[in-house]
Amino acid sequence: YERTKDSLGIAAVLNNIGNVYRYRGWYDMALQYFLQSIKIEEANGDTQRISQGYSNLGTVYGELMDSKNSLLCFYKSKAILGNDTMCAS
């Protein structure tokens, strides 16, 4: 993806790496990769992927028992897509 400058492809790979770290319980690393992915997705205006990224962040914060940040991320995810859709990881 880097060779072809496919930034959304790079963002998808970063998100997938974040998911691997999340499933392994390496939450700090997962947060880093999800945040990198979201940054690229926001630059491209991909609302579906941005919303999913915030949902992933919310899940990780929940695993870290950080309910405040977890809820903030889930609310942000929902707000990005509008009122009728809620992303879940």
Side-chain angles (χ1 to χ4, degrees):
Y1 293 113
E2 288 179 348
R3 237 180 299 141
T4 62
K5 298 185 183 184
D6 179 0
S7 60
L8 289 177
I10 293 169
V13 169
L14 292 170
N15 185 69
N16 289 340
I17 293 170
N19 277 318
V20 169
Y21 282 126
R22 178 174 57 123
Y23 291 128
R24 295 188 58 90
W26 300 345
Y27 301 121
D28 291 336
M29 292 297 293
L31 289 173
Q32 289 178 32
Y33 279 91
F34 288 143
L35 288 169
Q36 288 178 55
S37 177
I38 290 169
K39 183 177 179 181
I40 293 170
E41 292 156 350
E42 287 177 334
N44 285 284
D46 188 333
T47 56
Q48 181 70 37
R49 289 184 184 188
I50 297 166
S51 177
Q52 183 62 51
Y54 280 107
S55 180
N56 288 342
L57 283 177
T59 299
V60 172
Y61 281 122
E63 294 290 336
L64 292 170
M65 307 306 266
D66 184 346
S67 57
K68 179 183 175 186
N69 280 321
S70 180
L71 284 172
L72 287 173
C73 288
F74 285 126
Y75 286 137
K76 189 161 188 172
S77 173
K78 181 176 171 116
I80 289 167
L81 290 182
N83 293 327
D84 29 65
T85 309
M86 179 66 181
C87 283
S89 322

